[in-house]
Short mmCIF file of all heavy atoms in Angstrom, two decimals:
data_model
loop_
_atom_site.label_atom_id
_atom_site.label_comp_id
_atom_site.label_asym_id
_atom_site.label_seq_id
_atom_site.Cartn_x
_atom_site.Cartn_y
_atom_site.Cartn_z
N THR A 21 -23.74 -22.70 -24.29
CA THR A 21 -24.01 -22.86 -22.87
C THR A 21 -24.21 -24.33 -22.49
O THR A 21 -23.61 -24.81 -21.52
CB THR A 21 -25.22 -22.02 -22.44
OG1 THR A 21 -24.94 -20.64 -22.71
CG2 THR A 21 -25.53 -22.21 -20.97
N PRO A 22 -25.05 -25.09 -23.23
CA PRO A 22 -25.21 -26.52 -22.87
C PRO A 22 -23.88 -27.28 -22.89
O PRO A 22 -23.66 -28.16 -22.04
CB PRO A 22 -26.18 -27.04 -23.93
CG PRO A 22 -26.96 -25.84 -24.35
CD PRO A 22 -25.98 -24.70 -24.31
N GLU A 23 -23.00 -26.96 -23.84
CA GLU A 23 -21.71 -27.65 -23.92
C GLU A 23 -20.86 -27.33 -22.69
O GLU A 23 -20.26 -28.23 -22.07
CB GLU A 23 -20.96 -27.21 -25.18
CG GLU A 23 -19.57 -27.83 -25.30
CD GLU A 23 -18.77 -27.26 -26.46
OE1 GLU A 23 -19.30 -26.42 -27.21
OE2 GLU A 23 -17.59 -27.65 -26.58
N ILE A 24 -20.81 -26.06 -22.30
CA ILE A 24 -20.01 -25.67 -21.14
C ILE A 24 -20.58 -26.27 -19.87
O ILE A 24 -19.85 -26.78 -19.01
CB ILE A 24 -19.92 -24.13 -21.05
CG1 ILE A 24 -19.17 -23.59 -22.27
CG2 ILE A 24 -19.24 -23.70 -19.76
CD1 ILE A 24 -19.22 -22.08 -22.40
N VAL A 25 -21.91 -26.20 -19.72
CA VAL A 25 -22.55 -26.79 -18.54
C VAL A 25 -22.22 -28.27 -18.45
O VAL A 25 -21.86 -28.79 -17.39
CB VAL A 25 -24.09 -26.58 -18.59
CG1 VAL A 25 -24.78 -27.46 -17.54
CG2 VAL A 25 -24.43 -25.12 -18.36
N SER A 26 -22.33 -28.99 -19.58
CA SER A 26 -22.07 -30.42 -19.60
C SER A 26 -20.65 -30.74 -19.15
O SER A 26 -20.43 -31.66 -18.36
CB SER A 26 -22.32 -30.97 -21.00
OG SER A 26 -21.99 -32.34 -21.07
N ARG A 27 -19.68 -29.97 -19.62
CA ARG A 27 -18.29 -30.22 -19.27
C ARG A 27 -18.04 -29.97 -17.79
O ARG A 27 -17.33 -30.72 -17.13
CB ARG A 27 -17.37 -29.34 -20.12
CG ARG A 27 -17.46 -29.62 -21.62
CD ARG A 27 -16.46 -28.80 -22.39
NE ARG A 27 -15.11 -29.29 -22.17
CZ ARG A 27 -14.01 -28.57 -22.42
NH1 ARG A 27 -14.12 -27.34 -22.86
NH2 ARG A 27 -12.83 -29.09 -22.22
N ILE A 28 -18.63 -28.87 -17.27
CA ILE A 28 -18.43 -28.56 -15.85
C ILE A 28 -19.10 -29.63 -14.97
O ILE A 28 -18.50 -30.11 -14.00
CB ILE A 28 -18.97 -27.15 -15.53
CG1 ILE A 28 -18.12 -26.09 -16.24
CG2 ILE A 28 -18.98 -26.91 -14.02
CD1 ILE A 28 -18.66 -24.68 -16.10
N VAL A 29 -20.33 -29.99 -15.32
CA VAL A 29 -21.06 -30.98 -14.53
C VAL A 29 -20.30 -32.30 -14.51
O VAL A 29 -20.12 -32.92 -13.45
CB VAL A 29 -22.49 -31.17 -15.08
CG1 VAL A 29 -23.15 -32.39 -14.46
CG2 VAL A 29 -23.32 -29.92 -14.83
N HIS A 30 -19.87 -32.75 -15.68
CA HIS A 30 -19.15 -34.03 -15.76
C HIS A 30 -17.89 -33.99 -14.90
O HIS A 30 -17.58 -34.95 -14.17
CB HIS A 30 -18.77 -34.31 -17.22
CG HIS A 30 -17.89 -35.51 -17.39
ND1 HIS A 30 -18.35 -36.81 -17.35
CD2 HIS A 30 -16.54 -35.60 -17.56
CE1 HIS A 30 -17.34 -37.64 -17.52
NE2 HIS A 30 -16.23 -36.93 -17.65
N THR A 31 -17.16 -32.87 -14.97
CA THR A 31 -15.89 -32.76 -14.24
C THR A 31 -16.12 -32.70 -12.73
O THR A 31 -15.38 -33.33 -11.96
CB THR A 31 -15.13 -31.51 -14.71
OG1 THR A 31 -14.98 -31.57 -16.14
CG2 THR A 31 -13.75 -31.45 -14.09
N ILE A 32 -17.12 -31.94 -12.30
CA ILE A 32 -17.41 -31.84 -10.87
C ILE A 32 -17.84 -33.21 -10.33
O ILE A 32 -17.38 -33.64 -9.26
CB ILE A 32 -18.51 -30.80 -10.60
CG1 ILE A 32 -18.04 -29.40 -11.03
CG2 ILE A 32 -18.92 -30.81 -9.13
CD1 ILE A 32 -16.94 -28.82 -10.22
N LYS A 33 -18.73 -33.89 -11.05
CA LYS A 33 -19.20 -35.21 -10.58
C LYS A 33 -18.04 -36.20 -10.50
O LYS A 33 -17.93 -36.97 -9.53
CB LYS A 33 -20.28 -35.73 -11.52
CG LYS A 33 -21.62 -35.03 -11.36
CD LYS A 33 -22.68 -35.65 -12.27
CE LYS A 33 -24.04 -35.01 -12.04
NZ LYS A 33 -25.09 -35.59 -12.92
N ALA A 34 -17.17 -36.16 -11.50
CA ALA A 34 -16.02 -37.08 -11.47
C ALA A 34 -15.10 -36.76 -10.30
O ALA A 34 -14.56 -37.67 -9.65
CB ALA A 34 -15.26 -36.98 -12.79
N SER A 35 -14.95 -35.47 -10.01
CA SER A 35 -14.10 -35.05 -8.90
C SER A 35 -14.66 -35.55 -7.57
O SER A 35 -13.92 -36.09 -6.73
CB SER A 35 -14.00 -33.52 -8.87
OG SER A 35 -13.31 -33.07 -7.73
N VAL A 36 -15.96 -35.40 -7.37
CA VAL A 36 -16.58 -35.86 -6.13
C VAL A 36 -16.51 -37.38 -6.03
O VAL A 36 -16.25 -37.94 -4.95
CB VAL A 36 -18.05 -35.38 -6.04
CG1 VAL A 36 -18.75 -35.99 -4.83
CG2 VAL A 36 -18.10 -33.85 -5.96
N ASP A 37 -16.71 -38.08 -7.15
CA ASP A 37 -16.65 -39.54 -7.15
C ASP A 37 -15.27 -40.04 -6.74
O ASP A 37 -15.15 -41.08 -6.07
CB ASP A 37 -17.01 -40.09 -8.53
CG ASP A 37 -18.49 -39.93 -8.85
OD1 ASP A 37 -19.27 -39.70 -7.91
OD2 ASP A 37 -18.85 -40.03 -10.03
N ARG A 38 -14.23 -39.31 -7.15
CA ARG A 38 -12.87 -39.73 -6.80
C ARG A 38 -12.54 -39.45 -5.34
O ARG A 38 -11.59 -40.00 -4.80
CB ARG A 38 -11.84 -39.03 -7.70
CG ARG A 38 -11.83 -39.54 -9.12
CD ARG A 38 -10.58 -39.09 -9.86
NE ARG A 38 -10.50 -37.64 -9.95
CZ ARG A 38 -11.00 -36.92 -10.95
NH1 ARG A 38 -11.65 -37.53 -11.94
NH2 ARG A 38 -10.87 -35.62 -10.97
N GLY A 39 -13.34 -38.56 -4.73
CA GLY A 39 -13.20 -38.30 -3.31
C GLY A 39 -11.89 -37.67 -2.93
O GLY A 39 -11.45 -36.68 -3.51
N ALA A 40 -11.23 -38.25 -1.96
CA ALA A 40 -10.05 -37.64 -1.36
C ALA A 40 -8.91 -37.44 -2.36
O ALA A 40 -8.03 -36.63 -2.14
CB ALA A 40 -9.55 -38.51 -0.20
N GLU A 41 -8.96 -38.17 -3.47
CA GLU A 41 -7.87 -38.05 -4.46
C GLU A 41 -7.73 -36.63 -4.97
O GLU A 41 -6.64 -36.17 -5.29
CB GLU A 41 -8.15 -39.00 -5.62
CG GLU A 41 -7.11 -38.95 -6.73
CD GLU A 41 -7.49 -39.81 -7.91
OE1 GLU A 41 -8.28 -40.76 -7.71
OE2 GLU A 41 -7.01 -39.54 -9.01
N THR A 42 -8.86 -35.88 -5.08
CA THR A 42 -8.80 -34.53 -5.64
C THR A 42 -9.02 -33.46 -4.60
O THR A 42 -9.10 -32.29 -4.94
CB THR A 42 -9.89 -34.37 -6.73
OG1 THR A 42 -11.17 -34.65 -6.14
CG2 THR A 42 -9.64 -35.30 -7.88
N VAL A 43 -9.12 -33.82 -3.33
CA VAL A 43 -9.32 -32.83 -2.29
C VAL A 43 -8.02 -32.07 -2.06
O VAL A 43 -6.95 -32.66 -2.00
CB VAL A 43 -9.80 -33.50 -0.98
CG1 VAL A 43 -9.86 -32.48 0.15
CG2 VAL A 43 -11.17 -34.12 -1.19
N GLN A 44 -8.12 -30.73 -1.93
CA GLN A 44 -6.93 -29.91 -1.74
C GLN A 44 -6.27 -30.19 -0.39
O GLN A 44 -6.93 -30.42 0.61
CB GLN A 44 -7.22 -28.42 -1.88
CG GLN A 44 -8.54 -27.96 -1.31
CD GLN A 44 -9.68 -28.45 -2.15
OE1 GLN A 44 -9.66 -28.39 -3.37
NE2 GLN A 44 -10.69 -28.94 -1.49
#
């Protein structure tokens, strides 16, 4: 669970940081 949480959190934060680049 900690590994999966870490991967999801990292990916979501990176997505938000990139902003419009990853917006659908």
Side-chain angles (χ1 to χ4, degrees):
T21 299
E23 177 187 357
I24 295 171
V25 167
S26 176
R27 298 184 72 199
I28 293 174
V29 168
H30 173 78
T31 306
I32 297 292
K33 286 183 176 180
S35 174
V36 173
D37 289 343
R38 288 195 299 269
E41 179 185 336
T42 58
V43 174
Q44 38 289 315

